[in-house]
Amino acid sequence: MNYKKKVIVVFTAVAIVSGCSNTSGSNDTNEHTDHAEHQDHVINDIREETTGIDILPTFLNDKPENMQVIYQAASQHKDLLEKIPCYCGCGESANHKSSYDCFVFENKEDGNIIWDDHGTKCGVCLEIAAQSIVDFQEGKSVKDIRSKIDEMYKEGYSTPTPTPEV
């Protein structure tokens, strides 16, 4: 299966099984127990350095293949995901600035990458990255993707990360 098709299949799977989404329709994170539980895990985020984006961190070894594919795709779409906000609350709880931060903590000058396991704990992170990457691969502009994500997550989710407008 080619890379693009694999990301689309993975996105579909994530959309079906995603967690950490607020079904109550409220923007109040205190009413969202799954999200509050997610925020508690942020303190324990695991970071792992590898020698590049082609080598996934070991914390993904026991995770589903679809999650590994999203992590790989996220690392390859830095320029896109740094312009897309995350709506899981990580801007406040983990000081994230964009969706990219849910997967990668740092890209080092020597090519090494420090991964973050934050994205393994929340379907919102996975959904936003996967949807954004699929839309980008289908030729949509970053501005249109950003608008779509903002519209999709404007109600019933946490405050977005402080990602600058495109």
Side-chain angles (χ1 to χ4, degrees):
M1 183 180 302
N2 74 33
Y3 177 76
K4 182 176 177 180
K5 286 182 183 175
K6 197 169 197 177
V7 171
I8 291 170
V9 168
V10 167
F11 172 70
T12 303
V14 169
I16 292 169
V17 299
S18 67
C20 198
S21 60
N22 188 349
T23 57
S24 70
S26 169
N27 285 319
D28 185 353
T29 57
N30 292 329
E31 292 179 18
H32 183 163
T33 57
D34 288 341
H35 178 71
E37 186 176 299
H38 166 73
Q39 287 183 325
D40 290 341
H41 293 298
V42 169
I43 295 168
N44 299 318
D45 280 353
I46 296 169
R47 297 194 175 123
E48 182 179 334
E49 186 170 343
T50 67
T51 56
I53 63 174
D54 294 328
I55 301 171
L56 291 174
T58 59
F59 64 71
L60 288 174
N61 288 351
D62 65 343
K63 302 296 184 211
E65 181 183 4
N66 61 353
M67 188 177 290
Q68 294 175 23
V69 170
I70 292 172
Y71 260 82
Q72 189 74 64
S75 72
Q76 295 170 352
H77 289 85
K78 179 180 189 282
D79 290 342
L80 167 65
L81 295 181
E82 283 186 330
K83 295 174 179 87
I84 305 297
C86 184
Y87 281 80
C88 81
C90 60
E92 296 171 355
S93 65
N95 203 30
H96 287 178
K97 304 294 183 230
S98 69
S99 177
Y100 186 72
D101 294 342
C102 299
F103 306 94
V104 176
F105 179 73
E106 180 183 356
N107 293 88
K108 300 184 109 180
E109 287 186 28
D110 64 3
N112 285 5
I113 185 168
I114 300 176
W115 301 89
D116 194 313
D117 83 329
H118 181 88
T120 67
K121 301 171 195 165
C122 183
V124 171
C125 300
L126 296 167
E127 284 178 9
I128 290 172
Q131 181 66 63
S132 298
I133 292 165
V134 167
D135 287 350
F136 185 75
Q137 290 173 335
E138 291 177 349
K140 293 182 181 154
S141 72
V142 175
K143 185 175 182 174
D144 287 345
I145 296 167
R146 167 73 183 257
S147 294
K148 178 180 180 178
I149 295 298
D150 287 341
E151 183 65 26
M152 287 174 65
Y153 293 91
K154 72 180 181 182
E155 292 182 20
Y157 295 89
S158 293
T159 303
T161 54
T163 309
E165 291 290 329
V166 179

